[in-house]
Amino acid sequence: GAVVSQHPSWVICKSGTSVKIECRSLDFQATTMFWYRQFPKQSLMLMATSNEGSKATYEQGVEKDKFLINHASLTLSTLTVTSAHPEDSSFYICSANRATGGAFFGQGTRLTVV
Amino acid sequence: AQSVTQLGSHVSVSEGALVLLRCNYSSSVPPYLFWYVQYPNQGLQLLLKYTTGATLVKGINGFEAEFKKSETSFHLTKPSAHMSDAAEYFCAVSSGNAGNMLTFGGGTRLMVKP
């Protein structure tokens, strides 16, 4: 089956630093990747849609300068949380859509900003 | 536009009892429907999906769901709950096109009592 690898699975960083999260489709080309955020006890919230070779489309209320998304190839998208603050602590999940159909999720990244 | 409603943010059942998690959707085109499970501190895992064909879909861990177009529903069931089924379950819909994102329901936390 299709596999999406998200790395790291957890990270702790100091306030003010930046953190990069990678999302890779290991055995298929992902035409579109999505980044979600999950607050404790809440459902997933779509942050942005990432298409290879073009700028990401951000959802309303999501700061694009804070959450930098790069989709450099059909198998890799990265989310960089810049100048992280404790309120950015959350569970971030990516998903990748396969060109032939289906959406596949990464394992998630738990970010803790201290 | 598409949307998903999961009735009941929390469901509690006794071990061995029937599990029924409700999901209703709206979609302007024939939908693809998914159920995902999330165990604590883990990413989402696909339980089952409906795309086309047979409306009763069997998934992993003994779960199944039936697509009922007339009721716009895709309820998840399992005949006998296990303690290990305790988790959060998300229903999701997409329009079926590869580039379209998943829209998630709010999630249902399943608790299993011994």
Side-chain angles (χ1 to χ4, degrees):
Chain A
V3 177
V4 173
S5 175
Q6 188 173 338
H7 178 80
S9 56
W10 62 271
V11 58
I12 301 173
C13 71
K14 290 184 178 181
S15 186
T17 62
S18 295
V19 174
K20 179 185 285 188
I21 303 170
E22 291 188 349
C23 181
R24 292 180 183 273
S25 56
L26 297 185
D27 52 1
F28 66 97
Q29 292 186 330
T31 52
T32 306
M33 288 186 173
F34 304 102
W35 287 96
Y36 298 86
R37 180 175 181 178
Q38 183 180 28
F39 293 97
K41 300 182 181 180
Q42 297 184 32
S43 182
L44 294 176
M45 180 193 76
L46 177 66
M47 298 176 66
T49 302
S50 171
N51 291 294
E52 185 266 339
S54 62
K55 290 184 179 180
T57 302
Y58 290 81
E59 296 300 300
Q60 191 173 11
V62 178
E63 298 176 62
K64 61 181 181 180
D65 294 325
K66 181 168 186 61
F67 297 99
L68 299 179
I69 292 173
N70 182 274
H71 195 153
S73 73
L74 284 171
T75 60
L76 174 64
S77 177
T78 60
L79 167 67
T80 301
V81 182
T82 62
S83 186
H85 291 287
E87 59 264 29
D88 298 325
S89 298
S90 190
F91 197 66
Y92 294 85
I93 301 175
C94 71
S95 74
N97 280 19
R98 188 172 54 185
T100 54
F104 304 92
F105 285 84
Q107 303 94 322
T109 298
R110 180 163 298 283
L111 170 64
T112 302
V113 184
V114 298
Chain B
Q2 54 195 28
S3 66
V4 179
T5 302
Q6 288 183 241
L7 293 176
S9 59
H10 292 81
V11 170
S12 181
V13 301
S14 297
E15 191 172 17
L18 171 71
V19 176
L20 170 61
L21 304 183
R22 299 179 186 275
C23 173
N24 288 89
Y25 70 92
S26 67
S27 176
S28 57
V29 296
Y32 283 12
L33 295 158
F34 307 81
W35 274 100
Y36 290 88
V37 60
Q38 186 178 29
Y39 297 101
N41 299 316
Q42 296 184 30
L44 292 174
Q45 178 182 359
L46 180 66
L47 272 179
L48 50 80
K49 65 180 179 181
Y50 168 80
T51 53
T52 58
T55 56
L56 181 61
V57 180
K58 295 184 184 297
I60 62 172
N61 301 338
F63 284 94
E64 60 183 39
E66 186 172 10
F67 169 53
K68 292 187 176 180
K69 184 178 179 180
S70 62
E71 298 177 7
T72 60
S73 69
F74 192 57
H75 301 329
L76 181 71
T77 61
K78 181 174 180 177
S80 176
H82 294 170
M83 295 297 293
S84 60
D85 294 326
E88 184 132 19
Y89 293 79
F90 292 90
C91 181
V93 64
S94 80
S95 68
N97 295 327
N100 284 2
M101 58 166 284
L102 284 172
T103 299
F104 284 90
T108 298
R109 183 167 296 277
L110 176 65
M111 294 168 284
V112 182
K113 298 175 294 186

